Amino acid sequence: MSRLEVTIAGRYLRSRKSSRLVSLITLIATGGVAIGVMALIVVMGVMNGMQNDLREKILIATPHLRILTYGQGLLLENWELVQEKVKTHPEVISVRPFVLSQGLLSAGFDYSEGAYILGMDLDTTGLPVTPLAAKLRAGDLSFETESDTVDGGIILGRRLAQRLSAYPGDRLSVISPIGSKFNPALGAFVPKFWIFEVTDQFETGMFEYDNGYAMLPRDLAQEFAGLGEAVTGLDVRLSDPWDAPSVAAELEEKLDYPYRVVDWQSQNDALFSALQLEKLAMGTILLLIVIVAAFNIVSTLTMLVRDKTREIGILRAMGLPARIIRRTFLLQGTFIGVVGTGIGSVLGLVLAYSIDKRKIIELNPSVYFIDHLPVQVDSLDLIAIVVASILVATLATIYPAQQAASLHPVDAIKYE
């Protein structure tokens, strides 16, 4: 762009007493682009914030990898040898065995609740596989009981404990799916009852965990599930959770059949796919705001061409080439797009920061599991929004710029 084109474009953008309407529409077009960009940044930030917050909550109780087996029993019997093999991988930080079964829980009332019984290793040396132990309300992972007449201690999810009305110190009867014995007198199988004492509660913020999980020491969970020395599988923590799919494939090839490795992303693939689809849909819908603003740019420059017909004819008669006229109007539209995008980006970042840090939009944590709307602006999303906005604004100037360049000098000034 030459200095002449910049000068003409700047003069056309400034208002005159005889054509203040054109300048007003220019401001409206710029504001439309700014509002569209601001909305895109905030909404994309909200979607990223919700997705990241959900991911963090999932990883509270879900390990990066889980090593399981095929077969009828779905048990891992020689887990110590498998554990040593897994530890040799350079990205593996920690490996712990776990036991997962189910039971029917009752606190002595006329209400029973089914729940998953998770057996955890009490060995707290080294880095834990998941931060679940940090979510205990009293911070007690010892499972120590006040009474010697119970089978052991149990830790309940907060919502599960509320429904059962079972709190620390209360006794809980649990029916195990294993260990039922046939009673000849009754002519039926009699289930085995376990009596546990509630020692603590945990609250992860994820409804699935807080509503349907209970924790036992691993050795007690093995006895409860009738596994003997076997475990359900191994939980693995990696240095980078995003490498879980590739590490899972490497470990599965190394361990070979009958072992299988499941990563945390594949376990929650449907959920994250839905969030990604929702983010794409919201971004596409809000991009229409920028496109509407682009139509404002088209109308603004078209009106400007009509208003400046005489000036354009004079410039063409003086020998100004059509390409310079075209670039002049392209410059005006690009200027509107760049200024609108810049203002919208600044406003969007400021609004996103305020919503996240100052907690402007508060939520009910008992319903949404978070106390405010999280916003996290991704740099790639920001770059994509800025580039798309400027590109749309620039493309919107092609028609009016071509219209201005095609004006014939005689037709433009013949009525003057």
Side-chain angles (χ1 to χ4, degrees), residues 318-365:
M318 294 174 62
L320 196 67
R323 66 177 184 275
I324 294 182
I325 298 294
R326 184 184 301 109
R327 288 204 297 260
T328 299
F329 281 88
L330 285 172
L331 180 60
Q332 294 178 67
T334 304
F335 178 82
I336 293 174
V338 170
V339 172
T341 301
I343 295 174
S345 299
V346 173
L347 293 178
L349 292 174
V350 171
L351 183 59
Y353 178 84
S354 301
I355 292 175
D356 186 49
K357 300 301 180 181
R358 299 185 179 181
K359 301 180 180 181
I360 295 178
I361 303 177
E362 297 183 354
L363 302 176
N364 186 352

Side-chain angles (χ1 to χ4, degrees), residues 72-299:
Q72 296 180 349
L74 298 178
L75 302 179
L76 193 61
E77 296 180 348
N78 56 339
W79 60 269
E80 294 93 344
L81 297 177
V82 179
Q83 185 179 31
E84 293 302 320
K85 288 184 179 179
V86 173
K87 285 182 178 179
T88 59
H89 195 282
E91 292 198 44
V92 173
I93 296 179
S94 179
V95 185
R96 293 287 188 274
F98 76 95
V99 175
L100 187 62
S101 60
Q102 295 182 4
L104 188 63
L105 287 65
S106 175
F109 306 101
D110 295 333
Y111 179 78
S112 299
E113 180 78 18
Y116 288 101
I117 308 298
L118 177 64
M120 293 189 61
D121 203 326
L122 294 180
D123 182 14
T124 57
T125 59
L127 193 64
V129 176
T130 64
L132 181 59
K135 301 300 178 179
L136 300 180
R137 307 195 79 177
D140 185 11
L141 193 60
S142 63
F143 294 94
E144 293 183 358
T145 61
E146 299 177 357
S147 174
D148 297 332
T149 60
V150 296
D151 295 311
I154 190 171
I155 299 176
L156 303 177
R158 185 182 68 86
R159 289 179 173 271
L160 178 62
Q162 288 178 342
R163 288 203 313 279
L164 293 171
S165 296
Y167 301 96
D170 294 341
R171 293 193 175 190
L172 198 68
S173 63
V174 183
I175 299 178
S176 171
I178 305 297
S180 300
K181 294 183 178 180
F182 183 79
N183 190 321
L186 298 177
F189 284 92
V190 178
K192 182 178 180 179
F193 285 85
W194 295 71
I195 305 299
F196 297 114
E197 180 181 316
V198 180
T199 60
D200 203 348
Q201 297 179 14
F202 64 86
E203 184 175 10
T204 65
M206 278 293 291
F207 180 83
E208 180 183 357
Y209 302 140
D210 298 341
N211 186 66
Y213 274 75
M215 295 164 51
L216 289 176
R218 177 172 58 84
D219 55 351
L220 185 58
Q222 288 174 302
E223 185 180 355
F224 175 83
L227 302 182
E229 296 298 323
V231 296
T232 304
L234 296 176
D235 287 340
V236 182
R237 179 170 183 168
L238 305 176
S239 57
D240 187 358
W242 294 108
D243 293 336
S246 60
V247 176
E250 294 172 5
L251 288 177
E252 194 166 281
E253 183 179 357
K254 180 179 181 180
L255 297 175
D256 204 5
Y257 186 84
Y259 303 104
R260 57 192 175 100
V261 184
V262 182
D263 64 273
W264 67 276
Q265 296 182 48
S266 62
Q267 292 182 64
N268 302 278
D269 183 63
L271 178 60
F272 286 115
S273 296
L275 288 175
Q276 193 67 26
L277 180 61
E278 184 178 0
K279 177 182 176 181
L280 178 61
M282 290 297 295
T284 303
I285 292 172
L286 289 173
L287 185 61
L288 295 176
I289 298 177
V290 179
I291 296 177
V292 171
F295 279 102
N296 288 336
I297 296 175
V298 174
S299 61

Side-chain angles (χ1 to χ4, degrees), residues 53-61 204-206 209 369-370:
D53 186 79
L54 181 60
R55 184 185 302 115
E56 292 176 1
K57 284 182 168 58
I58 287 175
L59 290 177
I60 288 176
T204 65
M206 278 293 291
Y209 302 140
F369 309 116
I370 49 178

